[in-house]
Amino acid sequence: MPDAIRYPIGEFAWVPTDFPSRTNEWIKQVAELPRRIRIAVKDLKPRQLDTPYRDGGWTVRQVVHHVADSHMQSVFRIKLALTEELPLVKPYDQDAFVALADVLKAPIEPSLALLDNLHARWVLLFKSLKPEHLQREFNHPDAGRISVARALSHYAWHGRQHTAHILGLRERKGW
């Protein structure tokens, strides 16, 4: 499978020197995600929602629910980093999450609405932070110490990446 399908906007790379100059750009990308993902899934039929975006990949439905689940996890991790000293966060098995019934069978609107509201609050939080807050960290058992700035950068990329998965599938299928 071509990397361009799996990573249509490229793999995530944290560049520490991008902080703080790109902070506002990342916040804007987080703010735009709910609208952009809604545009990406607009008018898709159930069979289209249940089409994998790549061979062996998740369906569009799974991608939408995954983004909501993943961003909820991140909000709590960031809030822990802002309120505790280097908190240890719990990883989760995203492949197991996307295999649950609420992901496989549920309409996508609840997750789209969740993203609308979650991102509205998340953006308010990000805009309230000073550079020193963005340097606070949480400890992830698999990834190590992650700053709030790095998490912001990652989730700005994450939303754009999954939206590009859906748009790429639509383009390849002519939807």
Side-chain angles (χ1 to χ4, degrees):
M1 141 210 19
D3 279 344
I5 292 176
R6 189 169 187 178
Y7 296 106
I9 66 167
E11 292 188 56
F12 175 74
W14 170 239
V15 181
T17 55
D18 284 349
F19 170 75
S21 64
R22 293 189 61 198
T23 301
N24 288 334
E25 174 189 344
W26 298 327
I27 293 170
K28 182 179 180 193
Q29 291 169 351
V30 168
E32 292 173 345
L33 180 267
R35 181 181 61 79
R36 290 184 181 275
I37 204 164
R38 277 186 182 279
I39 291 168
V41 299
K42 186 175 173 37
D43 298 327
L44 289 180
K45 308 289 185 257
R47 72 172 174 73
Q48 294 168 319
L49 291 172
D50 293 327
T51 302
Y53 76 89
R54 66 177 173 87
D55 290 339
W58 296 338
T59 67
V60 173
R61 184 184 311 274
Q62 287 173 304
V63 168
V64 171
H65 292 308
H66 160 74
V67 171
D69 286 346
S70 176
H71 291 204
M72 279 192 296
Q73 290 279 343
S74 184
V75 167
F76 284 107
R77 289 173 176 174
I78 288 168
K79 285 185 159 209
L80 287 170
L82 293 170
T83 61
E84 296 179 15
E85 200 56 45
L86 194 61
L88 179 64
V89 298
K90 186 175 182 334
Y92 70 101
D93 182 342
Q94 62 185 14
D95 290 318
F97 271 45
V98 300
L100 295 171
D102 70 316
V103 171
L104 294 175
K105 300 188 183 311
I108 60 172
E109 182 53 38
S111 284
L112 293 172
L114 190 152
L115 286 167
D116 289 337
N117 293 293
L118 183 69
H119 278 241
R121 286 208 32 213
W122 210 7
V123 168
L124 285 171
L125 178 62
F126 281 134
K127 285 182 175 181
S128 76
L129 300 179
K130 296 182 172 131
E132 60 267 23
H133 297 130
L134 289 158
Q135 293 174 349
R136 292 188 59 89
E137 298 175 316
F138 58 82
N139 188 13
H140 188 286
D142 300 328
R145 293 169 73 129
I146 306 290
S147 70
V148 172
R150 181 176 172 180
L152 167 59
S153 171
H154 180 264
Y155 282 91
W157 169 87
H158 186 258
R160 292 185 352 268
Q161 175 81 354
H162 282 306
T163 301
H165 286 147
I166 297 165
L167 292 171
L169 174 66
R170 289 188 80 144
E171 184 176 322
R172 290 189 304 280
K173 296 284 190 179
W175 296 341

